[in-house]
Amino acid sequence: MRTRMRVPALALVVVGVCVSMVAHAGTSVVSAARLLDVRSGRYVQQPQIEIVDGRISRIGRAGDPLPAGAEHIDLGARTLLPGLIDMHVHLTIDPTLGGYQGLEYTDNFWTVVGVVNARRTLRAGFTTVRNLGSAGFDDVALKQAIEAGYIDGPRIVPGTFAIGATGGHCDGGGLPPAVTVPNPGAADGPDAIRATVRKLRKFGAEVIKFCGTGGVMSKGTTLGEQQYSQEEMQALVEEAHRLGMKVAVHAHGSSGINAAIRAGTDTIEHASLADAESFKLARAQGTWFSMDIYGSDYILAEGENNGLFAESLQKERQVGRKQRETFRDAHAAGVRMVFGSDAGVYPHGDNARQFGKMVEWGMTPLQAIRAATLDAAEALGRQTDVGALEVGRFGDMLAVDGDPLQDVAVLTRPAAVVKGGRLLQP
């Protein structure tokens, strides 16, 4: 028996039912007016994508015979793209609870916040995310719950606790000495750092994030200060790579960025004050830059209402435009770039708003889309699974009305999202 699902426009507002997506293996066929081949940059007309047990088994054309018993998901006149990848999110952060407001909630509250944000992220067309920092191994819990079918959300590459120096950006701050907050990610010296990498991997980390410089949201740090020595960074990266994990570094200042690149770090997060030497080193090493150039708009507009520290707002005013200029210069210099939004400092589900900024500051729409598909998959080391609509990869995609190569804003309004060959149902 064949079932044909003709999806009207209003019904494609995605809410998502997790059980229908992961509990039933089988075959589905997705068709639409056209498909963006992100590798060639060209449109394939009238594609018909066959998905078996979550992975693409064949890409044909409209009118090809349907497999017996297949569910046909007909998306009409829309444009298909690969499911988007966000390389830097914080699913368990609510940006409206800034400053000290988070102290009002129990530890497990943030896991529940993550459930809501995971759903919003998937609805926005981001079918894979790299979660760079969460307390309590919450991102591992979310990943396990999604994969078991309990909740709805994207494929998660969890980073668990971010590793950082005592008193640094990843070690909290703002509390008196009498208040002790356990932080499994705080480590000093090469041996302690290596042990921390091993511990995080033991409990589910699939990528290691560390803080190489000060940050905007932390109290008592400056953006430019380097917080780990070259020796410490080298030990961390060597240990993570030995264990088969990639490494991301939070780094704003050029000295910390350059030291992290020399140590072999895979991605530089933020990269706000990167300089010509940074670009040269990154090109030589093949390092990726992941630059969150939309978030400043939200932080400066809503940060005070959300309770952010005055210190954080002042640092954002100093670095926001500079980071965008660095993005433009890094791209022009040939540095490899991936899409990383830092969602959590602004509302989840609005991730795709960054595409507009990437185009405004120098990328073509296709380059921005590749940063969130092919290039992000390569940076993750998961190019056989995600990043393109090709045989063997997961059947993850979104459909949009309009032409994303002419107007990337259409990516902020997905008409449908398919994960593993299952349409998220209203």
Side-chain angles (χ1 to χ4, degrees), residues 139-178:
D139 52 359
V140 177
L142 292 173
K143 173 186 172 70
Q144 292 172 337
I146 290 166
E147 292 180 350
Y150 288 100
I151 63 172
D152 189 22
R155 305 180 193 280
I156 296 175
V157 179
T160 70
F161 288 86
I163 299 175
T166 299
H169 177 67
C170 288
D171 191 30
L175 297 174

Side-chain angles (χ1 to χ4, degrees), residues 61-267:
R61 294 296 178 94
D64 290 348
L66 297 178
E71 177 187 44
H72 186 192
I73 303 170
D74 183 359
L75 299 177
R78 297 177 177 88
T79 301
L80 292 177
L81 299 92
L84 302 173
I85 303 168
D86 194 330
M87 293 285 284
H88 191 141
V89 302
H90 298 278
L91 290 172
T92 54
I93 292 180
D94 182 338
T96 67
L97 300 175
Y100 290 117
Q101 294 182 84
L103 300 177
E104 299 178 16
Y105 299 89
T106 187
D107 295 348
N108 291 338
F109 169 81
W110 305 105
T111 314
V112 180
V113 168
V115 171
V116 175
N117 289 335
R119 182 171 174 236
R120 288 175 177 166
T121 300
L122 182 58
R123 291 178 62 193
F126 288 83
T127 54
T128 300
V129 299
R130 188 174 63 160
N131 198 80
L132 292 183
S134 68
F137 299 96
D138 292 338
D139 52 359
V140 177
L142 292 173
K143 173 186 172 70
Q144 292 172 337
I146 290 166
E147 292 180 350
Y150 288 100
I151 63 172
D152 189 22
R155 305 180 193 280
I156 296 175
V157 179
T160 70
F161 288 86
I163 299 175
T166 299
H169 177 67
C170 288
D171 191 30
L175 297 174
V179 178
T180 301
V181 179
N183 181 5
D188 303 298
D191 290 343
I193 289 170
R194 287 182 186 274
T196 302
V197 170
R198 295 169 185 169
K199 182 190 303 181
L200 298 184
R201 180 177 180 268
K202 173 183 178 180
F203 293 116
E206 296 177 12
V207 60
I208 294 296
K209 177 192 176 180
F210 76 96
C211 290
T213 75
V216 171
M217 298 300 177
S218 54
K219 288 182 69 66
T221 70
T222 61
L223 295 174
E225 70 189 43
Q226 182 175 331
Q227 296 184 339
Y228 268 150
S229 69
Q230 186 71 61
E231 181 186 15
E232 289 173 313
M233 292 187 187
Q234 196 75 41
L236 186 151
V237 174
E238 286 178 356
E239 192 65 26
H241 285 176
R242 188 182 67 80
L243 295 172
M245 294 188 292
K246 292 186 178 292
V247 178
V249 61
H250 160 104
H252 287 282
S254 59
S255 67
I257 292 169
N258 297 346
I261 296 174
R262 291 188 183 99
T265 300
D266 299 286
T267 65

Side-chain angles (χ1 to χ4, degrees), residues 84 86 89 95 117 119-126 294-295 298 302 339 341-357 411-414:
L84 302 173
D86 194 330
V89 302
N117 289 335
R119 182 171 174 236
R120 288 175 177 166
T121 300
L122 182 58
R123 291 178 62 193
F126 288 83
Y294 167 74
Y298 178 85
E302 302 295 336
F339 184 104
S341 70
D342 206 8
V345 303
Y346 70 87
H348 296 272
D350 287 346
N351 311 53
R353 292 189 179 190
Q354 180 161 285
F355 285 113
K357 289 297 178 185
L411 297 175
T412 66
R413 303 181 297 273

